[in-house]
Amino acid sequence: MIEETATVVAATPDHIWVEARARSACSSCGTQDSCATSSVSKLFGMRRQQLRLPNQFTSSVGEQVIIGVEDQVMVTASLAAYILPVVLMIVTAIAADIYGISDKQQAIVALLGLLLGLFSAGVLTSNRLMQRYFQPQLLRKITPHPQPRTQPLSASSLKGRGEQEFLLQEIPYERS
């Protein structure tokens, strides 16, 4: 499963809208400081994409959630987006060659095959059944971890955001 962190930007009892940053591959590369491709990707900035998902964890605005897509879904999407257009381009070019069309016309037919493949991939992925298949799933909420204490607390109890009471244990504090 491929997972990504997203922020809830709008919520209703039934649905949430989450926003995740679409990062380029350059954002995780170790040589991004000295790479021209990284410089070009920085010019276009980070794209943001909003998705509507069922609100199965009663999430609210501002919360961080994990969304995910099955590996098989990514393979299917990649095949539709990259392989189908190229295969149709090659098939139409071979068909044009078999019919004895001139080289210039073969190039035009191959380009038409590529465009037909791109259009077919768009049609294939845009119908309702496939949109549900490609839809990311809401996996879980991210619960914030408590910040490490830098100084000991003197109170024996502390009220949290939801007015629930947290009991604190006395933990030895070492100064360094």
Side-chain angles (χ1 to χ4, degrees), residues 34-55:
S34 62
C35 177
T37 304
S38 174
S39 300
V40 171
S41 73
K42 288 177 187 173
L43 289 175
F44 293 104
M46 297 289 204
R47 294 181 316 183
R48 295 180 184 266
Q49 184 174 7
Q50 289 187 3
L51 301 168
R52 181 180 152 215
L53 300 170
N55 193 0

Side-chain angles (χ1 to χ4, degrees), residues 82-99 101-119:
Y82 298 111
I83 302 299
L84 181 63
V86 172
V87 167
L88 279 177
M89 180 182 77
I90 292 171
V91 167
T92 55
I94 291 172
D97 187 44
I98 289 172
Y99 285 110
I101 297 176
S102 71
D103 289 344
K104 197 179 280 188
Q105 291 172 334
Q106 283 182 23
I108 293 171
V109 168
L111 181 61
L112 289 174
L114 178 68
L115 292 174
L116 177 66
L118 291 170
F119 177 76

Side-chain angles (χ1 to χ4, degrees), residues 2-6 20-23 65-69 137 139 142:
I2 299 170
E3 298 180 355
E4 182 66 40
T5 303
R21 287 186 177 196
R23 295 178 287 179
V65 293
I66 301 291
I67 57 175
V69 176
Q137 303 298 313
L139 301 177
I142 297 177

